[in-house]
Each structure stands twice: as C-alpha cells, then as structure tokens.
Amino acid sequence: MIEPVRPDGFRWKTIPDAALSYMRERKGIGYVWVGAVLALGASLPALFAREVFGDDWSVYYTYWTEGLPGLFRVLREAAHAGFIVPMSLLVVLLPDMPDVAARFAGLGCHLANGVLLYSILQRSPHTKPIAALFAALFLLSPFYVIRLTQNAVYDVFLLFYLLSYGLTYSKVRALRWAAPFCLLFSLSLETLIALEPLRVVLARSAGERWTRTLARLAPFWLAVATIIVLRLTILGKSGHYAGQYSFVSDLVVIRKALAAHFMAFRTGLEYAYSHGFGLLGSRDSTALALAAMVGSALLSASALWTPWLLRSFVSSANAIVLLVLGAAIALLGAMPYAITGIYGEVMRGESRLLFPSQFGVLLLMATFIQAVPGARLRAGLAGGLLTVFALSMVQDSKWLLYDGLISSDLQRQVRAALLADPEPKVVRLHIENPHMISYRSRCLGAPDMNVAQMTLRDENRERSFVYTDHCGDFDSSGAIRNESCTISYLEFFPCPPRRETWRYRAAPGIPPPDRIGLLELMRAVLADAPSATQGRGELMQLKDDLPIALARAEYRPPCDRPGVRGTAWLLALPAPACEDSGSGAR
C-alpha cells in the first residue's frame, strides 16, 4: 500500500485494509461486555436468597443422610451418572449450604459460557456476524431462568460442551485430543446433542473437501454415539425412576408438547416484558428502555456496531444458513422432550427443559435483528431488547428472594407448631395465593415441606408429615391416600392416623411482591427471625373452616448433625440454632 503524501512532504501513517476490517468487526464486542455486566448485576441479589428449589431438597437430604454413596446411587438410578461430578463438588465444597455453592457455580459458568460463545462464533465466517449480539442475548436470556439453583449443573455441562469447540483450535495437541472427551462429559445432559449442527457449520471451511471435514468431526460424533448407546443400555433409569419419561405414541400429545417448546419463545418475551416492566413501573421502565435504545443507536458506529446480513448476495446466503441452523437446533432441542410428552414452560421450574431448544431460538433472534437495515436501527432494537431482558433478570432475583423469605417464614412456623405437639400427624397445608408467592409458580412438594423438618426434628419424637394442598400429594400421587408418607419422594413411611388442616397466609405481615422494594426485601431476607417460633405471616389450624391458634415450641438439634447449620440458615433461625455435642441437645 502506498502511503499518501501531503504537500509539505509528510507521509500519513495508514492502517492496512485487513486491520481496519478487523478493528471494525471487533467493535461489536461491546454487546458482550454489556450482556456480562447486566447479567452479573441482575443476578447478584439472588445469591443471598434463603432458598432451595424443588427437587434440590431431595438431593441435599440424600447427601445429609446417606453421604456421597447415597447421592451416587440416586443420580445413577435417575440416569444422571454424569451429574455426580458437579453435584458432588457442590455438596463437598459447602456441605451445609450446597445451594449457595450452586448459585455461585451457576452464575460463574454462565458468564464464562457467554464469553466462550463469543470466542467460538468469532472463528467462523458463517457465525462471526452475529457472535457479539448472540452472546449478549444468551447472557440475558429470559428462557432458562433457574440457574441460581441446583440446576446450575446445566451451565456446567454447557461449559464443557463449549470447551469441546474451543480446545479444537488449541495449538497444544493434548488439549485438542481432550476436546472429544469434554464433549463426552458434557453430554451427561444428553439434549445438548441438539447443538451439534453448530459444530458442522463451524468446522466447515470454504474450498475444503467434505471428506476432510468429516474426518475432523468423527471423534466428536463417536462421543455422541457412545452416549446414545450408554443412555439406552446401562445408563437407563432404574429403581425409583424406572419407567420415568417413557416414549409416548399419542401424536396429539407429542404435537402439543412440541408446540409448547416453540411457544416458549413468545411466552418468554411476554414474561420478560410484563415482569421486567413491573419491577420499576411501566413509566420508568419505558423511559429506561427508550434511553437504552437511543444510547445504543449513538454507539452503533463504535462499540455496538454490527454488520448488515443482507448487504450482499454472499451475506444473504449466509443469513439463510444461520436461519436454518437456528431452526434445526430449536427442533432437535425440543423433540426429545416432546416424544416423551413433557414440555418446557417459562412460568414453571421446567424452564430448564428449554435449555437446548432456546439456544436455537436465540440464534434466530440474533439473525433477524441483524437482517434489519440501518446500523442505528439494529443497535436500537438490540439495546431495547437487552434492557427488557435485564429488567426481567432483576425481577427474577427479586422473586427468588421473596420466595425464600416466605418459605423460611412458613417452614419456621410449621416446625415450631409440630414441636409443640408430640403426637405424630399428617398436616394438609393450605397456602393462600401460592402461585403469586412461589418462584416461577412452582409448587411446594413433599421435599420442600419435610426435608427441613426432618433435618431439624427432635429424634425422640415420631415423625409428622406436612404436604401442601396444591401439589397433588393428597390426590394425584395417591401415596398419602394409600397411607404412605414421603419426605423426599425416595423413601416412604407409614402415615400417622391423625389428620389436620392448617392455613398459611403471608399478608399482612409480608407485603405482596409488587409492594415491597428490592432493598427492603434484601434486608428482610438477610435478617434472622426474632426467635425460632415467631413469624411474619399467619399460620393457623382450621377446624370446620374456623381458624384456631397453634401452640409453638423450640428445639435445638445437635450441631454436628449433617445439614443442621445450613437448614437453620435457610429457615432464618436465630443463633444459637443448635447445641454443641459437648453440651448435649435439649
């Protein structure tokens, strides 16, 4: 390149065209930074929630009562043998508070996955145009929303799945050889196989013979085949889980389940908009979103620049490739669940089942945005969408905190009432407005209600059991009707003959979620209860539909009993919540 010369003889220092192109394409990395910072900030409050979500109680109870061998057995029977590694690390690192370890692990892996996705997609000319925006959408995605629970293992497996791409490009031979083994471990979450079309697109080079491409892919597809064979043979479900999620032959059921996966995209956007804007109020949220759109448009020529996908015939053809890729991943990710008749639902804990299919949906979203003409318009749309997603994540953190506040209050009072009456009983618990209270409309099943009680119970007394009336423990499961009472759905005991009905209402002691601020909620969650028997909400016994006060009592279990310290923290029990072994429990 000839440098231009000014009339005074000075030669301008010019930048080669390739370097200019590289600098311009790297400008979009601003989206990655925005996504990572917003995801971190939006998730931080939830790290302090006093909350264990759903079946996590069963995992903890098994570990606290049987140790690692019991946990290995349960996960093997559930056909989740690979889950043993991350879950064991969580319970070993913080034996009394594995929920806290899971939240930090989930958030850390999620942020790392966003950066890895950007790095991987940048390497291929097919995915490079959408790399930055897709990574930001992934980091703030409103679809998979319970990563701050034990389901953080999904993010751990995705991390190893992405490493199977990243290590492929390593200059160290040993790391390149490790890539298929990373894939093999990551496919402990078998539905990540749905992402494999991406590997074909990334591996393909222009002008390369297909035989050479297939030779590079062979070790990875061997790992996929190995997992499929193992899953259908020695790693099948057994014991308590035998027959779970069997294939269904009803095409109507399959079609409805498949449609539910695809509709989750729209539902997720509706949820993000309604709940995200509900955090600050419609007026303030709208102003914030508009400000983000304007700010993003102003940065469209620098930090938030993205290429127009329809600027030429070649780029338009590449856009079609991306659309086909996204649709294929969405379909493959939903199909394994659909053929078993189950579906992911944004408003339930089953949102984790959307993990693979929504990866494809986000590819489609990023492609559609970058097919919009005009750099400022593309940046404005992306900025507004990311703002709505971020507000939704903050609202999720608030909701998890709120659920934890009520759960600890409810279980603390239930425990005190059970301790006051030594006669064993089965309690049917009615919770007012459970779907407004419970995070993502989950139900409080047997583990949620009984694990904490059993961990902190007076072992000199017979067991009592508590079940909510909106989860099917009394009706659909048939267990209690058949006089079989369970703690964690993994073991059953004869039900005591005595039956009672209790009612819990959070109001007026705990304001509704839309009337309590995030900071006020944080202070309430972090503070211990005044005593082990008091609560904010109202717990009463119902006799002939008339509320009757329940007596309360306190008991301090031995501190060396597994799970006692962590459960006491979850229930916000004031110190000392247990007795040292030297002094003896009273």
Side-chain angles (χ1 to χ4, degrees), residues 413-491:
Q413 293 195 60
V414 166
R415 174 176 179 262
L418 291 176
L419 288 171
D421 185 356
E423 184 178 349
K425 63 185 73 65
V426 177
V427 175
R428 182 171 190 154
L429 179 64
H430 173 70
I431 302 176
E432 291 191 356
N433 301 318
H435 299 295
M436 181 184 72
I437 293 171
S438 299
Y439 180 62
R440 291 282 170 169
S441 304
R442 70 187 178 100
C443 71
L444 294 175
D448 299 270
M449 296 310 306
N450 289 303
V451 169
Q453 309 301 334
M454 297 303 165
T455 303
L456 299 175
R457 65 184 282 260
D458 183 349
E459 293 184 331
N460 294 321
R461 299 182 179 184
E462 296 185 58
R463 295 182 180 90
S464 290
F465 302 88
V466 182
Y467 304 97
T468 56
D469 61 359
H470 67 284
C471 284
D473 288 311
F474 280 92
D475 300 317
S476 61
S477 69
I480 298 173
R481 186 172 61 247
N482 295 327
E483 301 301 322
S484 295
C485 284
T486 180
I487 298 173
S488 62
Y489 296 131
L490 299 176
E491 57 183 354

Side-chain angles (χ1 to χ4, degrees), residues 149 170 203 258 299 373 388 466 499 544 555 568:
T149 70
S170 174
L258 196 60
L299 295 173
V388 173
V466 182
R499 299 287 194 272
D544 299 326
Y555 165 75

Side-chain angles (χ1 to χ4, degrees), residues 5 80 97 114 127 165 258 342 411 501:
V5 182
H80 289 329
M97 304 175 73
T127 55
Y165 287 91
L258 196 60
I342 60 176
Q411 295 200 49
T501 300

Side-chain angles (χ1 to χ4, degrees), residues 486-506:
T486 180
I487 298 173
S488 62
Y489 296 131
L490 299 176
E491 57 183 354
F492 294 86
F493 305 90
C495 289
R498 181 175 168 185
R499 299 287 194 272
E500 291 186 2
T501 300
W502 297 357
R503 183 195 68 194
Y504 176 82
R505 55 170 58 157

Side-chain angles (χ1 to χ4, degrees), residues 206-259:
E208 184 183 55
R209 296 175 60 183
W210 272 102
T211 53
R212 184 172 178 80
T213 303
L214 293 175
R216 289 206 312 273
L217 292 174
F220 299 99
W221 288 354
L222 178 61
V224 171
T226 301
I227 284 295
I228 292 175
V229 171
L230 290 175
R231 183 67 175 80
L232 296 176
T233 54
I234 63 174
L235 293 184
K237 292 182 179 292
S238 60
H240 173 77
Y241 299 93
Q244 187 185 45
Y245 301 151
S246 302
F247 294 152
V248 297
S249 56
D250 191 336
L251 293 180
V252 175
V253 173
I254 295 175
R255 179 178 56 82
K256 289 183 177 179
L258 196 60

Side-chain angles (χ1 to χ4, degrees), residues 343-358:
Y343 60 94
E345 170 57 55
V346 173
M347 284 303 296
R348 300 191 303 163
E350 283 78 2
S351 69
R352 69 185 186 278
L353 305 183
L354 300 170
F355 194 72
S357 64
Q358 296 308 313

